[in-house]
Amino acid sequence: MKTSGKTTLSEMAKNTSLYFRIVEGRSLPAKDVSGTSDPYCIVKVDNEVVARTATVWKNLNPFWGEEYTLHLPTGFHSLSFYVMDEDTIGHDDVIGKILLSKDAIGAQAKGLDNWLNLTRVDPDEEVQGEIHLGLELLRDAKRIGLRCHFIEARDLAPRDISGTSDPFARILFNNHSAETSIIKKTRFPHWSETLELELETWELTEGGNVTVEVWDWDMVGKNDFLGKVEIPFACLHKTPVLQGWFRLLPLGNHEDDAGLLSPLSSRCPPLFLYPRKQRGKLGALRLKVRLVEDRILPSMYYQPLIDLLVESVISPAEVEDSSPLTMLEEVTTVESRQDVAMTLVKIYLGQGLVVPFLDYLSTREVNHTSDPNTLFRSNSLASKAMEQFMKAVGMLYLHEVLKPIINRIFEEKKYIELDPCKIDLNRTRRISFKGAASEAEVRESSVEMLQGYLSSVVESIVGSVAQCPPVMRVAFKQLHKRVEEQFPEPENEDVKYLAISGFFFLRFFAPAILTPKLFHLRDQHADTRTSRTLLLLAKAVQSVGNLGLQLGHGKELWMEPLHPIILCSVASVKDFLDKLIDIDQDSVSEVPQRAVFLPSVTVKEGYLQKHKTEGPQLLSRFAFKKRYFWLSSETLSYAKTLDLWQVRSSIPIQCVCVVERVDENAFQQQHVMQVVAKDNDGQIHTIYIQCKNVNELNQWLSAIRKASIYNERMLPSFHPGAYRSGKWTCCLQANRATLGCSRTHSAVTLGDWSDPLDPDAETQTIYKQLLQGRDKLRKQYLEAETTPEEEKRLNSGLLTDGADSSGQLLKHRQAAAARLLGVVLDLEQAHATFQQKEREEGGSLILTP
């Protein structure tokens, strides 16, 4: 590998992505007097709420089907699922929980997909936060003892109704103990106290643990447990002075190594380790969970692989089968093909070569297709790449086209059904004054409403040429050209249209109509009635995308009333596709980029509540005013309304240094976040913004963090409270400029289409795929001879003059495979060297290529 220089541990990056899907629940206990429950799930990563599902009303076997991806660069310890029963009056009831440790999830190579029993929630196990302390073993002529310096703690669990606690700490060893003072009304106490335990000489040979406990003091009743740290006494013989941040563990935790050497790393109880008496009594959840962890090397290590991928599309190989992209597709499993396709799309977007990349794959597929009816019908890399490309660059466009219509369908909640076998007359509203609607009347009204929705969808799409991203239009133009070259016959006139509409309608618009939540068109899944309407509409849109060629040939003959409007749409769709590809390719300049959208494009917008900081201090609930917010990668701006004439206030994204949650007790309000910016004069400006719910809060936090992810001004700590009445509400410090009392989470984001481009992490994903398929490539390319099929192609003249013999073909393939496998080997050795040095030097890594 041609690289030079040294790489330190600080230059390495860790990539942790957590995918989870909450599928369904079963046999939940009844919490309401009606004999049912209204269940929903709350998901926490290390006690921070990251998601809330919809509530399924009056159901003990709820289906959610909600999925999320989290990017957690700093890692995590545990993932928790709480099943709650929603109550309109009073507090919601806790049904049960499932706790999964990071180690348990990581041990499942293909991920977890199972039913897991709910367990009861024990307050002594609901601990969180860390404590900063120093522990020293005193041994001199005058005395023998233990000295503990209690510095501070952060992010403790709230135990009081005010959302805070009254924490104090205690150190215990053998029969000795001492306690700090009580710091009232805070989850971020600063003690700065030193306590000493006097020991006898014989106690130096004792085993056991030194225990530090944190408690919430209560005036009435018993104190509440907030967590503990256990350090083996033998450690103090080896390291007389220990100091650092230690993660607090539950009361029942008995891990010998918890907090040792790596104070903030410890493990949770193992998966499935539930008391027998609790198993199954509270019901169960079906969960899918998968953890992906990668150590990312510096860019120079990935450059040779990127060069090979770029070369594949800029200078295609004479022998098609020797392309790195061809080899990659051969070792890609069906399950991983979509992830690989999206990763490649992002790599080529970052290189400014996404159109040549798609053109290369499309040309290969078109040239290998003899029957136009099967073109792009499989889940090949070409099909998946185009599908993921549309999601990456066209999501905002899709929102602009579909969102108003989807919102209308959700709001109207019409009962629509065409299938005679599924019509339920009891679910319809009265249509005539003569009585309940007949089946014919239901079908007639359903056809009329579906025709209205379909007309709106088609009109919105065919009128959206100007809104479609230019890079999408150029990609479709190239696709149209390749298909027309391969199938020039008059009888195949429609094939060039079908190739584009197959992607545009069948793989982009129709799936978004069918499942709006997965495309971020709605925050929640549709109810049963709306889902059926969306399904029927998606079927009709698919027929439009097929240019009406499949009408009457399927089993669903009850869709026939929609055939006339579908056939009437064909001409306008063809005209739209002609206009869509009528674009000068040179007018679209592809350049290397960091994001999938242009800097000026609004990536998120909507009404939020902004805290009014100017003027006299109002009561908290009156201090938040409704404002419309716009976010691009350049600015976060807001105004009273979305009208163009309104004066907007703006925060330059490059000035943002903190994007974090705010504690509930700061304003006595939920779902509040803060955006802290530092201007060119070094002045700090903070705005507080309230969202409707926790999901909207997480979406805005994630979006602003992604926009500011390359900022060099991001701070390592922040105040989760507000500065009021001369002190911070979180840590009670009087100095407004004091350093933050909690760690920031600036790189923790939700994974979706708007993820920033990260060439190193993306190339690492491709490297892992090639590493898994290395043996297959060796056998197929380095150890194999020319196959009969290849001999046939040689004899038929399908190969170029440069490869006019089986020997030359074999040499081409072997040379290309050896080159690719050599790059994979170099990366494998770099990772191995890094891991070895990390073990040897314990953090002061020096990696020499």
Side-chain angles (χ1 to χ4, degrees):
M1 182 179 291
K2 297 180 180 178
T3 53
S4 60
K6 294 182 178 181
T7 302
T8 63
L9 179 64
S10 61
E11 294 177 69
M12 302 295 169
K14 193 173 182 182
N15 224 32
T16 302
S17 294
L18 181 64
Y19 161 85
F20 57 90
R21 186 168 194 254
I22 308 159
V23 185
E24 57 186 320
R26 70 180 179 195
S27 304
L28 300 181
K31 289 288 185 178
D32 300 336
V33 292
S34 60
T36 62
S37 292
D38 305 313
Y40 66 92
C41 291
I42 287 177
V43 187
K44 293 183 179 181
V45 172
D46 291 346
N47 297 290
E48 186 152 298
V49 178
V50 295
R52 182 205 193 274
T53 69
T55 300
V56 181
W57 302 99
K58 301 186 183 305
N59 200 318
L60 300 180
N61 299 284
F63 178 83
W64 288 289
E66 298 194 21
E67 57 188 65
Y68 302 86
T69 300
L70 287 175
H71 299 309
L72 303 157
T74 55
F76 69 104
H77 297 101
S78 65
L79 174 68
S80 305
F81 299 86
Y82 293 79
V83 180
M84 311 289 291
D85 169 54
E86 183 166 340
D87 289 330
T88 53
I89 300 175
H91 292 287
D92 295 348
D93 300 318
V94 181
I95 293 176
K97 70 175 282 191
I98 291 169
L99 174 68
L100 303 177
S101 71
K102 177 187 171 185
D103 290 345
I105 300 169
Q108 308 287 323
K110 294 185 177 181
L112 169 72
D113 182 359
N114 214 334
W115 283 96
L116 300 178
N117 291 325
L118 292 165
T119 63
R120 298 190 186 282
V121 175
D122 181 352
D124 287 340
E125 301 297 316
E126 299 296 298
V127 304
Q128 66 186 66
E130 297 108 28
I131 184 168
H132 190 190
L133 55 84
L135 197 60
E136 181 180 1
L137 179 59
L138 304 172
R139 286 183 294 186
D140 54 39
K142 297 181 179 179
R143 57 181 173 170
I144 300 173
L146 268 178
R147 175 182 293 162
C148 187
H149 183 202
F150 290 90
I151 305 169
E152 60 185 316
R154 63 189 177 198
D155 196 31
L156 300 178
R159 290 291 193 238
D160 299 337
I161 196 170
S162 62
T164 63
S165 290
D166 304 319
F168 68 92
R170 175 189 297 157
I171 181 172
L172 305 99
F173 179 68
N174 285 345
N175 293 319
H176 309 284
S177 67
E179 295 179 355
T180 68
S181 59
I182 299 166
I183 310 293
K184 292 190 176 182
K185 297 187 183 303
T186 181
R187 298 195 304 117
F188 300 84
H190 284 248
W191 289 291
S192 295
E193 294 182 31
T194 300
L195 303 178
E196 291 188 9
L197 301 179
E198 292 188 8
L199 305 181
E200 300 294 333
T201 305
W202 61 268
E203 290 182 285
L204 291 176
T205 60
E206 285 287 295
N209 295 323
V210 177
T211 302
V212 173
E213 298 176 344
V214 183
W215 293 81
D216 166 51
W217 176 81
D218 283 334
M219 181 179 293
V220 179
K222 66 175 185 177
N223 298 331
D224 300 312
F225 180 72
L226 293 177
K228 70 175 183 179
V229 174
E230 291 187 338
I231 300 172
F233 188 66
C235 284
L236 293 173
H237 289 289
K238 300 174 184 177
T239 309
V241 180
L242 282 177
Q243 182 167 326
W245 284 95
F246 293 78
R247 191 166 73 94
L248 294 170
L249 299 175
L251 188 63
N253 191 286
H254 298 293
E255 297 175 19
D256 292 334
D257 61 346
L260 179 59
L261 298 182
S262 181
L264 282 179
S265 66
S266 60
R267 293 187 294 274
C268 300
L271 187 62
F272 309 127
L273 192 60
Y274 304 141
R276 287 188 177 273
K277 63 181 180 180
Q278 291 187 10
R279 293 181 185 173
K281 288 192 174 183
L282 300 175
L285 284 185
R286 186 184 170 200
L287 301 173
K288 292 184 178 181
V289 185
R290 181 165 51 91
L291 175 65
V292 178
E293 279 194 297
D294 283 317
R295 179 72 73 174
I296 309 300
L297 299 170
S299 301
M300 60 184 177
Y301 290 92
Y302 297 109
Q303 195 58 48
L305 182 51
I306 289 179
D307 290 342
L308 279 180
L309 294 174
V310 168
E311 186 181 302
S312 295
V313 300
I314 290 183
S315 305
E318 288 183 330
V319 181
E320 185 182 280
D321 291 346
S322 64
S323 160
L325 283 174
T326 304
M327 298 182 199
L328 177 62
E329 181 168 16
E330 288 176 356
V331 299
T332 301
T333 63
V334 175
E335 295 78 17
S336 64
R337 189 159 295 158
Q338 180 165 303
D339 289 339
V340 170
M342 177 56 93
T343 302
L344 287 171
V345 165
K346 289 189 171 184
I347 287 174
Y348 285 103
L349 272 171
Q351 296 294 319
L353 294 170
V354 73
V355 171
F357 161 65
L358 295 170
D359 186 39
Y360 171 83
L361 293 181
S362 299
T363 301
R364 279 185 60 234
E365 178 130 343
V366 169
N367 291 344
H368 284 82
T369 304
S370 56
D371 181 0
N373 294 316
T374 63
L375 187 60
F376 297 117
R377 294 299 181 180
S378 66
N379 286 323
S380 63
L381 185 60
S383 297
K384 285 295 181 183
M386 183 66 83
E387 185 179 317
Q388 297 307 310
F389 163 72
M390 291 188 296
K391 289 181 180 179
V393 304
M395 195 66 80
L396 296 174
Y397 161 62
L398 179 138
H399 282 208
E400 190 173 355
V401 172
L402 288 185
K403 198 163 190 175
I405 303 161
I406 296 297
N407 286 343
R408 179 155 62 94
I409 293 171
F410 270 77
E411 290 162 7
E412 292 178 352
K413 295 184 186 298
K414 301 284 189 182
Y415 177 71
I416 295 177
E417 185 55 76
L418 298 182
D419 187 351
C421 299
K422 294 185 177 180
I423 290 178
D424 183 356
L425 298 179
N426 294 324
R427 296 178 62 185
T428 64
R429 295 179 182 176
R430 178 172 301 207
I431 294 178
S432 69
F433 292 105
K434 298 178 180 178
S438 66
E439 183 177 310
E441 289 173 319
V442 171
R443 279 177 54 80
E444 183 181 346
S445 66
S446 296
V447 168
E448 183 181 346
M449 286 183 285
L450 269 179
Q451 286 176 336
Y453 290 145
L454 182 59
S455 295
S456 297
V457 169
V458 173
E459 287 172 11
S460 184
I461 293 174
V462 300
S464 67
V465 173
Q467 289 99 318
C468 186
V471 69
M472 273 182 71
R473 298 178 62 185
V474 171
F476 285 135
K477 181 176 183 176
Q478 286 296 102
L479 176 60
H480 180 276
K481 177 183 176 183
R482 301 305 180 194
V483 174
E484 192 171 39
E485 290 172 348
Q486 180 71 5
F487 302 103
E489 301 83 7
E491 62 268 24
N492 292 326
E493 172 67 22
D494 285 337
V495 177
K496 58 180 180 289
Y497 292 111
L498 287 167
I500 301 174
S501 65
F503 286 116
F504 212 62
F505 287 84
L506 275 66
R507 293 182 183 244
F508 193 45
F509 285 114
I513 292 170
L514 183 62
T515 52
K517 185 179 186 297
L518 298 184
F519 287 76
H520 304 281
L521 288 165
R522 297 288 298 187
D523 290 334
Q524 304 290 351
H525 285 298
D527 58 28
T528 304
R529 174 179 289 195
T530 305
S531 289
R532 183 62 181 169
T533 300
L534 294 174
L535 174 61
L536 295 171
L537 182 59
K539 287 177 181 289
V541 171
Q542 284 181 325
S543 296
V544 171
N546 282 322
L547 304 182
L549 297 178
Q550 306 294 328
L551 295 181
H553 298 294
K555 298 179 181 179
E556 298 170 341
L557 298 179
W558 40 266
M559 290 285 287
E560 189 174 339
L562 292 179
H563 290 182
I565 189 173
I566 291 171
L567 292 171
C568 288
S569 302
V570 171
S572 61
V573 168
K574 285 185 175 180
D575 181 60
F576 162 71
L577 296 176
D578 285 332
K579 292 177 181 177
L580 192 72
I581 62 172
D582 184 15
I583 183 172
D584 183 4
Q585 188 165 345
D586 296 332
S587 66
V588 180
S589 59
E590 280 200 271
V591 295
Q593 57 193 79
R594 282 183 167 183
V596 297
F597 38 77
L598 297 173
S600 58
V601 172
T602 299
V603 295
K604 192 166 184 62
E605 60 184 298
Y607 277 107
L608 299 169
Q609 301 284 333
K610 177 188 172 292
H611 185 257
K612 183 180 178 182
T613 54
E614 66 276 4
Q617 291 295 312
L618 303 171
L619 291 174
S620 294
R621 59 179 167 177
F622 299 118
F624 285 88
K625 301 297 180 182
K626 189 175 182 180
R627 295 291 182 267
Y628 198 86
F629 280 79
W630 296 265
L631 174 67
S632 72
S633 58
E634 293 181 334
T635 59
L636 174 66
S637 54
Y638 55 92
K640 287 187 176 180
T641 66
L642 52 75
D643 297 321
L644 295 177
W645 55 267
Q646 282 282 349
V647 177
R648 295 189 187 184
S649 301
S650 295
I651 301 171
I653 289 296
Q654 64 181 12
C655 295
V656 171
C657 53
V658 169
V659 187
E660 296 291 339
R661 289 174 171 80
V662 176
D663 268 359
E664 184 178 337
N665 71 304
F667 300 105
Q668 301 304 312
Q669 297 287 326
Q670 292 183 317
H671 317 311
V672 178
M673 67 177 177
Q674 57 181 306
V675 179
V676 182
K678 182 185 288 188
D679 61 26
N680 293 329
D681 297 327
Q683 296 295 311
I684 295 290
H685 305 276
T686 304
I687 65 168
Y688 297 99
I689 303 168
Q690 185 179 29
C691 302
K692 293 194 299 286
N693 52 54
V694 68
N695 288 339
E696 185 179 66
L697 171 65
N698 286 323
Q699 289 163 11
W700 274 98
L701 282 170
S702 180
I704 302 173
R705 286 171 180 172
K706 288 178 183 179
S708 58
I709 200 165
Y710 296 111
N711 284 9
E712 297 178 355
R713 306 185 183 191
M714 302 306 289
L715 298 178
S717 62
F718 77 108
H719 287 285
Y723 192 81
R724 304 174 65 187
S725 304
K727 63 182 178 182
W728 287 101
T729 59
C730 44
C731 56
L732 310 181
Q733 299 297 297
N735 183 1
R736 185 164 196 160
T738 192
L739 292 176
C741 55
S742 186
R743 290 180 297 167
T744 54
H745 309 83
S746 56
V748 177
T749 58
L750 295 170
D752 58 25
W753 59 272
S754 65
D755 287 349
L757 302 180
D758 188 341
D760 296 340
E762 290 146 12
T763 313
Q764 169 71 15
T765 300
I766 300 302
Y767 153 70
K768 285 176 60 181
Q769 194 70 38
L770 290 169
L771 187 65
Q772 291 172 5
R774 179 169 56 184
D775 291 342
K776 182 178 179 181
L777 288 177
R778 280 176 178 160
K779 290 178 181 178
Q780 186 165 338
Y781 286 90
L782 300 185
E783 301 170 9
E785 297 180 355
T786 310
T787 65
E789 175 62 26
E790 290 160 347
E791 290 282 1
K792 182 180 177 182
R793 291 175 59 205
L794 280 165
N795 295 331
S796 65
L798 290 178
L799 293 175
T800 63
D801 294 338
D804 56 1
S805 72
S806 59
Q808 286 176 314
L809 172 64
L810 194 58
K811 286 180 181 179
H812 271 289
R813 295 175 59 189
Q814 287 178 338
R819 188 179 173 199
L820 179 61
L821 290 171
V823 169
V824 172
L825 179 61
D826 286 343
L827 279 168
E828 184 183 30
Q829 290 175 343
H831 275 285
T833 304
F834 163 74
Q835 291 169 356
Q836 179 64 26
K837 293 280 188 177
E838 187 178 39
R839 285 192 293 268
E840 291 174 357
E841 302 180 20
S844 58
L845 173 70
I846 299 293
L847 182 64
T848 306

